[in-house]
Amino acid sequence: MKPVVPLRFADGTPSGFNLTADILQPQPAGGVWCPAPGLARLDARELVPARNGERMLFHRGGWGFVGQDSGSAVHYGHILASDIDTSGLKFQRIDSVSGLPSVPRGKWIEARTLPWAGKGQAAGNGSACDGLSVSAMTVRVRSIPADMNYLSSRQTSSIPYAIYGDPSEDLGAREDRTRHIKYTLLEWSWINVRGGGVARALVKEGEKFFPCTDVPSIVLASVSDAQSKHHTGWVSAIYGAIPTADNGRLYGWMVSAHRHGGDPVIFHLTN
């Protein structure tokens, strides 16, 4: 990887944040973490065209790095394939391995930096819909309050909805939050399914979003924490598409609105 790698929106324009080796310090925890410092964690399911005809892969930020908290979350974004090595490491799951809870069930193997279709894609995650609206909505990046969370698949821990609101201003290092760079996320699938909520692309303030009229919206309650499960409001998500540099489309789920307690509804997508 180059010393400084710009993180980009789906159309290839820089988000304003960069990847550098010093922030890519893996933190062993639940799930799968990078095996060594300085490695970018890539979602290698697809190559997306940039404005200059180059191709991009999506860097999966968030937790999993030193600190393992909202103050150390690394930013998401697409990166140019030319900014990274042509080969890397791929995690190969081995179901027969029964290690300790903190040990990933699998191993890292050398692999080319090429798209590897995942099970989710085979199941339809991120697929085009039949009823894509010709009228675009406008993305409004809005914060989601800190006490609005959803429960993990095992219902034993809570995850902040803030990830899908305005994560660049509400999560991450303080010096990053004060730069007031706004983005939200487009997801492969929504959090109502096991393993859902995985980001597919960054979405900028004012971006066009084309909703799918043939896919029902999903409204889920939020809770304060996993112990009390006290309801604090609700969050609505809809399926649709954002434009890419080649006049194509990336499909996925986005938060469309939320309501915190008895406060007015906050819209993340407007007509």
Side-chain angles (χ1 to χ4, degrees):
M1 189 179 82
K2 292 181 179 179
V4 179
V5 175
L7 293 167
R8 301 172 184 273
F9 292 105
D11 63 2
T13 57
S15 69
F17 291 113
N18 298 314
L19 274 187
T20 55
D22 62 298
I23 65 175
L24 296 175
Q25 302 295 321
Q27 174 71 59
V32 179
W33 59 87
C34 292
L39 295 179
R41 183 170 55 187
L42 302 177
D43 185 338
R45 281 178 276 191
E46 62 183 351
L47 287 168
V48 175
R51 288 182 181 273
N52 55 5
E54 289 199 65
R55 300 289 176 175
M56 304 186 297
L57 287 159
F58 189 69
H59 171 259
R60 289 182 58 186
W63 287 269
F65 299 95
V66 168
Q68 192 65 16
D69 55 32
S70 60
S72 64
V74 174
H75 292 284
Y76 295 79
H78 276 91
I79 58 179
L80 294 176
S82 58
D83 283 340
I84 58 176
D85 297 329
T86 56
S87 63
L89 299 174
K90 177 183 179 181
F91 188 75
Q92 185 178 67
R93 295 188 180 277
I94 304 175
D95 294 334
S96 61
V97 174
S98 56
L100 299 173
S102 61
V103 177
R105 297 168 62 86
K107 62 180 180 180
W108 291 95
I109 59 173
E110 291 189 11
R112 297 279 295 171
T113 307
L114 297 171
W116 307 312
K119 293 181 179 179
Q121 284 168 292
N125 291 353
S127 297
C129 62
D130 294 326
L132 187 67
S133 174
V134 296
S135 299
M137 304 181 78
T138 301
V139 174
R140 301 301 183 194
V141 178
R142 298 290 182 261
S143 294
I144 299 178
D147 66 345
M148 295 185 69
N149 304 282
Y150 63 95
L151 297 177
S152 64
S153 299
R154 295 183 178 180
Q155 307 286 294
T156 56
S157 61
S158 61
I159 303 168
Y161 272 113
I163 298 169
Y164 309 113
D166 184 7
S168 53
E169 293 187 297
D170 296 336
L171 303 172
R174 182 177 180 180
E175 57 268 27
D176 286 350
R177 299 198 303 270
T178 57
R179 293 178 64 188
H180 302 300
I181 296 173
K182 301 177 79 69
Y183 69 70
T184 190
L185 298 172
L186 179 80
E187 282 71 47
W188 284 95
S189 59
W190 195 230
I191 60 171
N192 60 314
V193 298
R194 186 176 181 84
V198 175
R200 186 177 191 180
L202 292 191
V203 186
K204 67 182 75 172
E205 172 76 16
E207 181 63 275
K208 294 179 179 179
F209 180 84
F210 297 86
C212 289
T213 59
D214 56 341
V215 180
S217 62
I218 299 173
V219 180
L220 298 175
S222 65
V223 296
S224 57
D225 55 76
Q227 289 70 44
S228 69
K229 297 181 175 61
H230 173 68
H231 282 204
T232 56
W234 55 260
V235 175
S236 174
I238 63 175
Y239 193 74
I242 59 173
T244 59
D246 63 345
N247 295 317
R249 297 281 187 267
L250 282 185
Y251 286 79
W253 291 89
M254 277 191 61
V255 169
S256 58
H258 80 266
R259 188 178 189 187
H260 182 229
D263 294 344
V265 175
I266 302 298
F267 292 96
H268 297 234
L269 294 169
T270 59
N271 293 312

